[in-house]
Amino acid sequence: ALGASDSGSGWSVLELIAGATPLSKVVLFILIIFSITSWAIFLNKVWQFRRLERQTASFVDIFRRSTKFSEVQSVCRSLAHSPLVGVFQAGYAELNMQLRQGNGTATPGERPAGGGGRSTLSSFDALDRALLRASAVEANKLEHRVDLLATTASITPFIGLFGTVMGIVDTFRSIGETGSTSLAVVAPGLGDALVATAMGLLAAIPAVFFYNNLTNKIKLYLSEMDDFSLEFLNIAERNFT
């Protein structure tokens, strides 16, 4: 008798899903899609961030050991997945443009490029804005699709609740049609209804964890980009102003 009971509990949920109403099956299908999507996003981001961390560590090491920006630029292509590379390239391009313009025509308040002087920046603020724009672009790349995790975490419980409510409504309809409130009549419909709530929670709970985990990592990367931008500006100010 105990073995039969264990066997029944093993397939009861599948049996409820198989015998669910078409609306309940649609709700469960939507919840499964949300769940699969959130897992796929999380695993993809984990892989992306691990590669990013390796390349960022290599880039920072090269940046701090190099004596010329051109040396750093030469390794950027091989470390393109690091957000610091995008920030550096934007700053390097703006720096080169200003220095080339300064060599061609002197601007008010600028030290002459020739005659033993050194090239100087024409607009330190423009360099700062270039770094800020690049940081915003890299931040958007890091946050790409993470918002879908927040959407999954917030909407799937309500989708599951909708399925449960409709299942209970269908159960009351069955009671009205049969005129019986026995457990044999009520239990299957309620079980079918509660499966939707359970699936909604199963989709939402991991999504909340994934979203918080990735958001914390992204905050660290954004802070790292800010620190790098300040370090780049300090070097530019020391050498080109």
Side-chain angles (χ1 to χ4, degrees), residues 154-187:
S154 60
I155 200 173
T156 50
F158 293 104
I159 295 175
L161 182 60
F162 170 77
T164 296
V165 170
M166 296 307 297
I168 292 174
V169 169
D170 188 65
T171 298
F172 280 116
R173 184 183 298 114
S174 298
I175 292 174
E177 291 175 352
T178 61
S180 172
T181 58
S182 66
L183 189 61
V185 174
V186 176

Side-chain angles (χ1 to χ4, degrees), residues 20-33 159 162-163:
T21 62
L23 179 60
S24 295
K25 289 181 179 179
V26 169
V27 169
L28 293 175
F29 177 76
I30 292 173
L31 292 173
I32 290 171
I33 293 299
I159 295 175
F162 170 77

Side-chain angles (χ1 to χ4, degrees), residues 42-60:
F42 177 70
L43 294 176
N44 177 263
K45 284 295 183 181
V46 168
W47 175 76
Q48 175 187 340
F49 287 170
R50 285 181 179 175
R51 180 179 59 183
L52 178 156
E53 289 170 0
R54 290 195 302 270
Q55 295 195 4
T56 295
S58 299
F59 176 78
V60 169

